Amino acid sequence: SWSKDGLLKLSLHRHRWEWEEERIQSTELPENVAMFFTGTIRNLPNEVQSALCILSCFGATSTVKLIKSLEQAINTPLFQPLDKAVFEGLLIKHDEKYSFVHDHVQSAAYNLMKP
């Protein structure tokens, strides 16, 4: 991912995204956004992939209350994997909610679910 490669990072000091334009321009990108996000999610640990797939079933934004209920119902930790997804730039955590950064991220996570 661009964040792992140091091409794109959030500057907390400047409150904005910063990027390496020349390196990004020389990077080969997938032909569509969904493929990019699918690849990014597939490179994450299994527990993060699973947590994103679960979260994707409940819309673009989910409350902490819902996630706690899900953890209890399926007896699987979700907050730590979701916080990793926040760190990777796939989710935003604000107030008492987790939101996908883009609908393509949610779609990619949903489409990775196994029957």
Side-chain angles (χ1 to χ4, degrees):
S1 77
W2 285 2
S3 60
K4 280 186 180 177
D5 296 338
L7 300 175
L8 179 68
K9 59 188 168 194
L10 181 62
S11 171
L12 298 176
H13 176 71
R14 294 183 178 177
H15 305 286
R16 67 181 186 150
W17 287 98
E18 295 180 347
W19 55 90
E20 299 286 333
E21 186 173 354
E22 288 179 20
R23 288 181 55 207
I24 289 172
Q25 288 177 350
S26 67
T27 302
E28 187 174 327
L29 298 175
E31 291 190 27
N32 68 48
V33 175
M35 286 177 58
F36 173 76
F37 287 123
T38 298
T40 299
I41 294 169
R42 280 192 176 141
N43 286 329
L44 296 172
N46 288 337
E47 64 273 8
V48 178
Q49 291 181 44
S50 295
L52 287 170
C53 287
I54 292 165
L55 199 67
S56 72
C57 296
F58 296 91
T61 300
S62 297
T63 65
V64 167
K65 183 178 178 180
L66 171 66
I67 297 167
K68 283 181 186 178
S69 296
L70 289 169
E71 275 190 330
Q72 291 174 348
I74 62 174
N75 197 29
T76 301
L78 295 173
F79 286 105
Q80 185 176 4
L82 293 176
D83 286 340
K84 173 75 172 161
V86 169
F87 178 78
E88 293 294 329
L90 298 170
L91 295 175
I92 298 171
K93 184 177 178 182
H94 54 93
D95 298 326
E96 292 289 308
K97 299 175 184 174
Y98 284 81
S99 300
F100 286 94
V101 296
H102 195 280
D103 60 336
H104 287 297
V105 176
Q106 181 189 357
S107 295
Y110 186 84
N111 290 328
L112 286 175
M113 278 192 287
K114 298 174 179 112

